């Protein structure tokens, strides 16, 4: 029997089948399901390697630490009892001493449960990895359009005449989604790529705007300057559906292409051409990702880009819109279900007394109206001893947090750390209790891709050892803490379906997305879906925006550089990136032989002139240093990066270098730009340094 | 006869084709070469007038019903003649015999596409008749031209 599942990696949310054969399991392509995001069942290399998640070193039994990194096996009963008791104890003192991490790598149902658990314990300290990738998108789009999600679908990208890809190596991070760009291009669409690196995505560009990391606002303002000056904006749309145009006009007036060229390094003519091309297009979309969002002014970056979309009227019609691309397969779902410190499921503010009253009644518990901590803030509070316990579901902050050495210090300082995961991660090494979870293929539930498309993934394999589904673990802990009420007032769940029905009842956008409908319709349903007979909403804002007055609120934002700029001691700008064959902190892809042998190790990309200046040789070892750490890596001399910029993939642990300065609104760290220096080192020295970092637990 | 057509203009060097082929065959019979501004995937072309078939002294190379060039492992003596003859450098001697792309016969038998074609995210690989391919290309180009005319036509 072929079981339909959803790929456990990126936000495209590709479908595939797992089939049981006499000799084990095999993967089959879902080429017979109409309307799925990966047309004709196509998969990228990660999707092709999903069966390697069955790798031998999966966590099989609950573990309890005797000392750091030394564990003994315990029974589920014992592990749950201990976690419940410790959480209850700490919550009794002050629930704000607890921090919970949900996971963009697991289903909607366990994410719903973990935020419910945090909140019923009395705290809104709940967050997940979206903080490090798209929190600025969520906040920025909400400010301009009223909601934080992608406004359209992959189909709309295929239908566009101009596709602007901003700070997003689309071809490498979402290969199957990139198909829609290629199809548009075949039809004659123009592609504009904005990136500090000449990426594989840039191979497909008609216009390539190579800006310095962290100068996005200046570029967006420069483009808007040209559009307004030549009267190329959509007058009718601006008048009827937006507010704030005159202020915007005043703000961007000083961003002449010449001045913007000085700030961004993008030639003035290219800025003009991009502006005219984008504004004149009948249908146009902008897609973006970490290059735009991971910045101390990520919130403003997103608002500037959203404003550019709004003044050209490229939204609310087929073939148009704003498409932030989510990295993990369920970032959207985890956000939707309230795994964020400021909102309940469905983006209902915890500070809104009415919404709070609803959930108090619904869950039968008194809830906090105080906005909770974000991940980086929790790290800083833990360092000060004010947060005492973390409950981490499917996350690896030891490698993924900016300035990871500091994150490790904070983790070590905790009184109690629970890690629930499928593999022994760097973070799990520091845990007091490790809970073995099932992978996405061994479990079932709903998840929401980049396009707000909710799909059901079925159980295809049996879990190893005593590994248990995330929803089961969280509900057992909830019950053991004493939340034994019936229905929504407790944690007595028998299946993920039951949990999804509870989600339907309290999350307006998901009201009509029932388990029955999802199981019948493998292509899924786009939220908002307000009732069971509603077909779902692929395209947002056709008539009004979700802001209180229904209009787009144009943002006038000024350029400011990254938190750290190059100087005498640290003369280069460091930016981070990813490889197509790897995912996140390597916990999953690093265990696949098929992937590991093709993407063996990280390389530092350095321009030939800088290589000469700093005596780096292609293929030889270098050390990159920032104010936060040192990281040895082999150099790759390439013109893909601009002079003055170096780039490094972050999977292996380059976050020892990155800056944890955060955006004041979205609290996203400045991971994409910091000051650094480089120098050649001997292989022996490099290896020694790597061993030291590994010992510290900050590299994979 | 259908074959795998490669459009390097669409390849993003993701190497999904390699991973898929290796998963099924234990090693990959397609290789993706990456350059600074493009990538070229390459596998056996199953040539109409295949130099490897002509060069093979033992007649180990043969064609199946779909025209795929296959190796009869019992007849192959690992002499390297095919390696020398192939203009694309496709045949490899693994252990003692030649191995190469077999166009996924089990899948073809079930009416499915070869794995690398099925998985390729961008459609850089297609499995079709070259004449079909050139016809669809011609048509797409003509349509683009016509569209441009239509856009500039007044009063339409
Ligand atoms: S594109 Fe994303 S969802 Fe699709 S196969 Fe690759 S990793 Fe999985
Ligand atoms: S799967 Fe397709 S796009 Fe990817 S490397 Fe192979 S041919 Fe190129
Ligand atoms: S057709 Fe089959 S054997 Fe040949 S390269 Fe593609 S996947 Fe490999």
């Amino acid at each position: 029997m072929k079981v339909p599942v959803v790929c456990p990696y990126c936000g495209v949310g590709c479908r595939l089948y797992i089939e049981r054969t006499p000799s084990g399991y095999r993967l089959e392509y879902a080429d017979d399901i109409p309307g799925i995001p990966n047309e004709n069942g196509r998969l990228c290399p990660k999707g092709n390697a999903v069966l390697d998640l069955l790798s031998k070193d999966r966590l099989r039994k609950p573990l309890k630490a005797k000392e750091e990194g030394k564990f003994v096996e315990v029974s589920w009963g014992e592990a749950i009892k201990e976690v419940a008791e410790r959480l209850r104890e700490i919550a009794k003192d002050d629930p704000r001493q607890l921090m919970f991490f949900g996971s963009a790598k697991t289903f909607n149902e366990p994410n719903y449960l973990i935020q419910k658990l945090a909140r019923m314990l009395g705290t809104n300290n709940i967050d997940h990895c979206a903080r490090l990738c798209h929190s600025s998108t969520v906040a920025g789009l909400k400010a301009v359009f009223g909601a934080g999600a992608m406004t359209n679908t992959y189909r709309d990208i295929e239908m566009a005449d101009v596709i602007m890809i901003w700070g997003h190596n689309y071809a490498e991070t979402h290969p199957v989604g990139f198909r829609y760009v290629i199809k548009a291009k075949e039809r004659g669409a123009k592609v504009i790529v904005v990136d500090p690196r000449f990426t594989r995505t840039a191979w497909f560009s008609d216009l390539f705007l190579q800006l310095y990391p962290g100068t996005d606002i200046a570029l967006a303002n420069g483009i808007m300057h040209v559009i307004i000056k030549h009267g190329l904006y959509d007058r009718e749309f601006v008048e009827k559906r937006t507010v704030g145009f005159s202020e915007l006009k005043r703000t961007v007036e000083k961003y002449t292409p010449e001045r913007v060229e000085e700030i961004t390094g993008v030639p003035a003519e290219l800025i003009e051409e991009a502006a005219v091309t984008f504004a004149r297009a009948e249908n146009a979309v902008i897609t973006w990702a970490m290059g735009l969002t991971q910045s101390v002014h990520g919130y403003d970056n997103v608002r500037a880009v959203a404003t550019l979309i709004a003044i050209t009227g490229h939204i609310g019609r087929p073939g148009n819109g704003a498409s932030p691309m989510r990295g993990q397969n369920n970032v959207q779902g985890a956000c939707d279900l309230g795994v964020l410190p400021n909102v309940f499921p469905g983006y209902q503010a915890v500070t809104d007394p009415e919404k709070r009253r609803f959930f108090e009644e619904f869950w039968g518990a008194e809830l906090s109206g105080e906005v909770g901590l974000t991940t980086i803030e929790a790290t800083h509070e833990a360092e000060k001893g004010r947060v005492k316990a973390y409950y981490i579901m499917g996350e690896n902050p030891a490698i993924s947090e900016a300035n990871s050495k500091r994150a490790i210090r904070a983790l070590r300082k905790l009184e109690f750390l629970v890690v629930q995961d499928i593999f022994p991660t760097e973070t799990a090494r520091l845990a007091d209790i490790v809970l073995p979870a099932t992978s996405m293929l061994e479990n079932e539930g709903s998840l929401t891709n980049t396009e707000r498309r909710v799909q059901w993934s079925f159980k295809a394999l049996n879990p190893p050892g005593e590994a248990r589904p995330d929803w089961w673990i969280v509900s057992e802990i909830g019950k053991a803490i004493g939340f034994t009420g019936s229905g929504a007032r407790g944690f007595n769940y028998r299946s993920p379906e039951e949990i999804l029905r509870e989600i339907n009842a309290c999350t307006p956008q998901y009201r009509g997305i029932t388990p029955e409908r999802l199981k019948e319709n493998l292509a899924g349903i786009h939220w908002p879906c307000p009732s069971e007979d509603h077909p779902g909403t692929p395209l947002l804002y056709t008539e009004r925006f979700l802001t209180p007055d229904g209009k787009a609120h144009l943002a006038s934002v000024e350029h400011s550089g990254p938190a750290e700029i190059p100087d005498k001691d640290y003369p280069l700008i460091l930016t981070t990136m990813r490889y197509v064959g790897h995912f996140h902190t390597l916990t999953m892809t690093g265990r696949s032989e098929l992937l590991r042998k093709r993407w063996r190790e990280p390389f530092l990309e350095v321009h030939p002139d800088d290589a000469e200046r700093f005596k780096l040789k292609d293929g030889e070892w270098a050390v990159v240093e920032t104010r936060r750490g040192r990281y040895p890596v082999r150099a790759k001399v390439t013109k893909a990066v601009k002079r003055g910029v170096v780039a490094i993939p972050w999977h292996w642990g380059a976050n020892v270098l990155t800056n944890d300065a955060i955006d004041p609104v979205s609290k996203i760290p400045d991971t994409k730009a910091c000051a650094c220096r480089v120098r050649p080192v001997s292989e022996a020295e490099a290896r020694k340094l790597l061993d030291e970092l590994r010992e510290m637990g900050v590299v994979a | 006869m259908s074959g795998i057509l490669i459009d390097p203009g669409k390849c993003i060097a993701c190497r999904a084709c390699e991973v898929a082929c290796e998963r099924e065959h234990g090693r990959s019979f397609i290789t993706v070469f990456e350059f600074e501004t493009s990538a070229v995937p390459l596998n056996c072309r199953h040539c109409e007038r295949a130099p490897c078939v002509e060069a093979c002294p033992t007649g180990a190379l043969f064609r199946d019903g779909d025209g795929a060039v296959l190796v009869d492992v019992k007849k192959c003596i690992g002499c390297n003649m095919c390696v020398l003859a192939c203009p694309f450098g496709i045949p490899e001697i693994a252990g003692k015999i030649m191995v190469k792309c077999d166009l996924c016969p089990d899948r073809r038998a079930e009416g499915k596409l070869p794995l690398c074609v099925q998985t390729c995210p961008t459609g850089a690989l297609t499995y079709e008749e070259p004449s079909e391919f050139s016809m669809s290309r011609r048509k797409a180009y003509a349509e683009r031209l016509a569209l441009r005319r239509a856009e500039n036509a007044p009063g339409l």
Side-chain angles (χ1 to χ4, degrees):
Chain A
M1 212 197 32
K2 295 193 296 186
V3 182
V5 300
V6 173
C7 171
Y9 291 109
C10 88
V12 178
C14 296
R15 279 242 175 241
L16 56 120
Y17 291 115
I18 306 287
E19 190 176 8
R20 173 136 221 184
T21 67
S23 55
Y25 292 95
R26 60 189 294 271
L27 177 162
E28 189 52 75
Y29 302 88
D31 56 0
D32 55 349
I33 306 177
I36 52 175
N38 54 326
E39 254 188 348
N40 201 21
R42 292 159 191 285
L43 297 174
C44 84
K46 294 188 285 287
N48 269 293
V50 288
L51 282 171
D52 290 1
L53 288 179
L54 300 171
S55 114
K56 285 151 231 66
D57 68 336
R58 281 281 301 275
L59 292 167
R60 285 156 199 274
K61 287 222 159 116
L63 304 172
K64 181 179 162 126
K66 288 283 148 206
E67 52 184 286
E68 187 184 302
K70 298 253 183 320
F71 295 97
V72 289
E73 291 178 357
V74 292
S75 69
W76 268 112
E78 209 176 316
I80 282 165
K81 186 156 163 275
E82 168 133 9
V83 174
E85 271 170 13
R86 296 294 297 272
L87 294 183
R88 199 167 43 202
E89 229 169 74
I90 296 169
K92 207 156 53 188
D93 258 10
D94 179 357
R96 286 172 302 184
Q97 299 182 116
L98 294 172
M99 177 73 198
F100 291 81
F101 289 75
S103 172
K105 298 241 49 61
T106 186
F107 296 110
N108 287 329
E109 292 73 23
N111 275 303
Y112 170 78
L113 291 188
I114 197 159
Q115 60 84 36
K116 175 176 173 182
L117 182 65
R119 292 186 158 121
M120 283 181 72
L121 277 166
T123 179
N124 288 313
N125 288 352
I126 166 93
D127 205 2
H128 73 291
C129 69
R131 184 65 48 203
L132 308 175
C133 65
H134 272 298
S135 56
S136 39
T137 297
V138 174
L141 284 186
K142 183 159 197 318
V144 181
F145 299 144
M150 177 157 164
T151 69
N152 54 359
T153 67
Y154 284 116
R155 286 269 165 234
D156 293 293
I157 294 175
E158 184 184 339
M159 279 149 61
D161 307 307
V162 171
I163 302 165
M164 191 180 285
I165 308 177
W166 197 310
H168 178 201
N169 186 1
Y170 199 161
E172 197 144 10
T173 56
H174 299 74
V176 174
F178 194 66
R179 172 175 181 72
Y180 295 97
V181 176
I182 292 197
K183 285 176 79 175
K185 225 181 132 69
E186 276 199 300
R187 254 193 32 242
K190 292 263 176 302
V191 176
I192 304 173
V193 172
V194 181
D195 204 298
R197 294 172 58 232
F198 186 76
T199 58
R200 290 168 192 191
T201 307
W203 292 356
F204 298 85
S205 62
D206 297 280
L207 288 173
F208 175 52
L209 278 43
Q210 191 169 25
L211 78 180
Y212 287 117
T215 62
D216 307 82
I217 295 175
L219 183 63
N221 282 352
I223 292 175
M224 288 193 277
H225 171 101
V226 175
I227 290 174
I228 294 174
K229 194 174 90 192
H230 296 316
L232 293 172
Y233 58 96
D234 186 333
R235 270 166 220 278
E236 202 191 321
F237 192 90
V238 165
E239 226 161 81
K240 283 209 187 114
R241 299 196 52 189
T242 73
V243 291
F245 186 70
S246 47
E247 200 191 333
L248 174 73
K249 198 168 159 186
R250 235 175 299 128
T251 306
V252 301
E253 206 167 339
K254 42 189 185 297
Y255 289 87
T256 59
E258 293 69 31
R259 176 164 170 238
V260 172
E261 170 170 347
E262 260 169 50
I263 303 173
T264 61
V266 180
E269 316 81 77
L270 268 183
I271 298 171
E272 295 255 0
E273 199 180 338
V276 173
T277 310
F278 183 75
R280 284 232 174 103
E282 173 75 30
N283 299 308
V285 297
I286 303 187
T287 87
W288 68 86
M290 258 87 289
L292 188 72
T293 62
Q294 287 181 333
S295 159
V296 271
H297 36 74
Y299 170 68
D300 283 347
N301 286 356
V302 172
R303 285 197 304 154
V305 167
T307 299
L308 166 60
I309 294 171
I311 64 165
T312 47
H314 286 314
I315 189 153
R317 287 180 291 128
N320 291 275
S323 311
M325 291 287 170
R326 308 319 209 111
Q328 305 204 9
N329 62 348
N330 202 23
V331 188
Q332 189 62 55
C335 290
D336 297 343
L337 295 172
V339 182
L340 295 170
N342 59 338
V343 287
F344 295 119
Y347 305 97
Q348 311 185 63
V350 298
T351 48
D352 181 336
E354 216 170 291
K355 309 282 187 206
R356 198 161 65 242
R357 216 164 312 125
F358 170 84
F359 279 98
E360 287 189 332
E361 169 62 24
F362 191 64
W363 290 333
E366 205 180 306
L367 303 177
S368 162
E370 183 188 335
V371 171
L373 294 172
T374 60
T375 61
I376 298 256
E377 288 172 316
T379 306
H380 296 177
E381 290 300 294
E383 228 182 349
K384 294 186 202 126
R386 289 209 282 259
V387 162
K388 298 207 165 108
Y390 273 16
Y391 185 135
I392 302 181
M393 174 170 80
E395 253 303 321
N396 192 14
I399 307 282
S400 62
E401 294 281 307
N403 192 3
S404 51
K405 272 201 221 158
R406 183 168 179 189
I408 291 260
R409 269 205 308 276
L411 289 168
R412 283 226 161 91
K413 215 153 165 220
L414 292 169
E415 277 174 25
F416 189 57
L417 173 60
V418 186
V419 173
Q420 173 174 325
D421 215 314
I422 61 173
F423 287 115
T425 62
E426 289 74 14
T427 307
R429 251 185 33 176
L430 307 173
D432 296 288
I433 298 279
V434 179
L435 305 172
T438 56
S439 80
M440 194 147 256
L441 308 177
E442 297 145 3
N443 182 2
E444 64 181 323
S446 68
L447 64 165
T448 312
N449 85 343
T450 290
E451 310 165 283
R452 293 170 284 107
R453 185 201 292 256
V454 188
Q455 303 181 102
W456 190 267
S457 186
F458 293 81
K459 177 178 165 179
L461 312 169
N462 286 320
E466 291 176 22
R468 292 279 185 277
D470 288 309
W471 68 264
W472 182 90
I473 303 173
V474 182
S475 43
E476 289 301 304
I477 288 168
K479 275 187 283 185
I481 288 175
F483 301 130
T484 51
S486 61
R489 291 166 164 251
F491 281 83
N492 291 301
Y493 301 102
R494 278 163 316 217
S495 68
E497 287 87 341
E498 213 176 307
I499 305 166
L500 181 52
R501 276 182 216 113
E502 186 174 317
I503 293 172
N504 297 150
C506 67
T507 315
Q509 297 88 331
Y510 281 63
R511 188 136 297 150
I513 306 182
T514 61
E516 293 74 22
R517 283 184 80 189
L518 288 183
K519 287 185 179 182
E520 241 162 61
N521 176 1
L522 290 178
I525 303 170
H526 296 266
W527 70 253
C529 175
S531 63
E532 278 198 48
D533 51 6
H534 191 284
T537 317
L539 192 65
L540 297 182
Y541 314 136
T542 47
E543 260 130 55
R544 65 191 305 275
F545 291 99
L546 280 175
T547 48
D549 58 5
K551 305 209 170 178
H553 289 226
L554 304 181
S556 302
V557 292
E558 297 283 354
H559 161 74
S560 63
E564 221 178 54
I565 45 172
D567 55 23
K568 194 164 84 303
D569 297 331
Y570 296 94
L572 294 165
I573 310 178
L574 171 73
T575 190
T576 59
M577 62 186 195
R578 308 192 231 186
Y579 286 161
V580 59
H582 278 310
F583 192 79
H584 206 248
T585 65
L586 297 178
T587 49
M588 292 155 75
T589 51
R591 287 176 161 86
S592 163
E593 177 65 20
L594 286 169
L595 301 174
R596 210 178 46 226
K597 76 186 227 203
R598 291 186 164 77
W599 295 271
R600 255 177 313 118
E601 58 178 332
F603 285 99
L604 177 79
E605 292 187 353
V606 52
H607 188 276
D609 292 353
D610 290 323
E612 203 184 292
R613 187 162 144 221
F614 299 104
K615 307 197 166 41
L616 302 188
K617 291 220 172 58
D618 192 66
E620 301 211 345
W621 286 93
V623 151
V624 190
E625 286 174 288
T626 67
R627 290 191 173 83
R628 291 151 297 277
R630 289 191 294 170
Y631 186 72
V633 58
R634 274 183 222 270
K636 179 169 157 194
V637 179
T638 166
K639 288 200 180 128
V641 284
K642 244 178 145 70
R643 218 173 274 121
V645 178
V646 291
I648 207 173
W650 71 280
H651 311 286
W652 282 267
N655 273 322
V656 291
L657 301 168
T658 52
N659 195 349
D660 59 346
I662 54 178
D663 177 284
V665 180
S666 66
K667 311 288 163 70
I668 201 167
D670 209 8
T671 337
K672 285 288 176 208
C674 68
C676 78
R677 62 179 171 229
V678 295
R679 62 179 166 83
V681 282
S682 70
E683 172 148 7
E685 199 181 324
R687 300 236 179 254
K688 195 167 139 255
L689 202 51
L690 267 181
D691 286 341
E692 275 170 34
L693 291 172
R694 207 163 282 133
E695 185 52 38
M696 239 181 268
V698 283
V699 301
Chain B
M1 187 212 84
S2 295
I4 293 180
L5 297 177
I6 296 173
D7 181 352
K10 287 190 199 164
C11 178
I12 55 173
C14 74
R15 303 171 83 179
C17 48
E18 282 187 13
V19 171
C21 185
E22 177 164 340
R23 194 185 66 226
E24 200 78 357
H25 296 88
R27 66 187 291 158
S28 178
F29 296 136
I30 183 161
T31 318
V32 181
F33 295 94
E34 195 190 330
F35 305 95
E36 288 250 331
T37 55
S38 62
V40 181
L42 198 65
N43 66 349
C44 172
R45 315 307 314 129
H46 301 273
C47 313
E48 286 294 338
R49 286 173 44 210
C52 60
V53 177
E54 281 164 21
C56 179
T58 66
L61 293 172
F62 68 101
R63 280 181 198 279
D64 73 6
D66 290 336
V69 173
L70 303 181
V71 197
D72 180 345
V73 291
K74 292 189 294 297
K75 286 193 193 155
C76 177
I77 55 174
C79 70
N80 273 319
M81 290 303 281
C82 54
V83 176
L84 293 171
C86 174
F88 307 103
I90 295 297
E92 296 170 75
I93 304 291
K96 295 190 169 63
I97 52 165
M98 186 264 240
V99 293
K100 65 180 271 303
C101 163
D102 56 12
L103 266 183
C104 300
D106 298 350
R107 292 182 60 89
R108 279 185 283 127
E110 290 175 45
K112 293 181 187 154
L113 292 169
L115 265 170
C116 54
V117 175
Q118 170 61 57
T119 205
C120 176
T122 64
L125 306 175
T126 48
Y127 182 68
E128 58 190 328
E129 289 271 353
S131 57
E132 261 173 49
F133 173 84
S134 45
M135 181 51 96
S136 66
R137 271 261 168 126
R138 257 176 255 161
K139 195 156 158 257
Y141 180 71
E143 267 169 12
R144 274 224 295 282
L145 278 187
L147 200 67
R148 210 175 302 156
R149 282 286 292 277
E151 270 166 10
N152 297 328
L156 241 182

